[in-house]
Amino acid sequence: MRMSSPGGLVYSTDSGRMCPACRRPAAQCACAALRASAVPAGDGTVRVSRETKGRGGKAVTVVKGAALPAAELLQLGKQLKAACGSGGTVKDGVIEVQGDHVERVVQALQSLGHKAKRAGG
């Protein structure tokens, strides 16, 4: 049985990673610039919650609903991680901070001028 692949160049030694949509080098990708400039719609309230599912019982503080462009969201994630003194990530419009820092994150967001509230239990 032969598996069919979508084909196309994924990586080139000359230019590095290639965009699968526009087939250009990632640094010159036109569609990534369009995706990065798109701001997700929200109701203006940033929701902060604590999750443990799928993480081996370890708590993660999750920040959702920040209607910011990707570059500003990365910067906000960096500020929140520094305020908590822990690591984390920003992916798919969601900021994840390692550990249970819900109250500290809500206070930091409010001091930065965001309308933030605690979500969940």
Side-chain angles (χ1 to χ4, degrees), residues 9-110:
L9 185 64
V10 176
Y11 186 85
S12 169
T13 56
D14 293 331
S15 55
R17 291 226 172 263
M18 305 295 283
C19 175
C22 66
R23 305 280 185 214
R24 293 184 185 171
Q28 301 168 358
C29 175
C31 55
L34 293 173
R35 284 186 304 235
S37 65
V39 177
D43 62 353
T45 303
V46 180
R47 288 173 172 77
V48 182
S49 63
R50 184 178 71 93
E51 291 183 2
T52 57
K53 290 188 178 181
R55 296 180 171 91
K58 303 215 185 267
V60 175
T61 303
V62 179
V63 181
K64 295 180 183 177
L68 297 171
E72 291 180 28
L73 195 64
L74 285 171
Q75 183 63 31
L76 178 62
K78 192 172 188 178
Q79 291 172 340
L80 293 176
K81 291 185 293 184
C84 296
S86 74
T89 186
V90 178
K91 57 184 173 186
D92 299 328
V94 176
I95 300 171
E96 294 180 358
V97 180
Q98 294 174 352
D100 186 2
H101 302 287
V102 176
E103 295 302 323
R104 192 176 298 168
V105 168
V106 169
Q107 289 175 357
L109 286 168
Q110 289 173 345

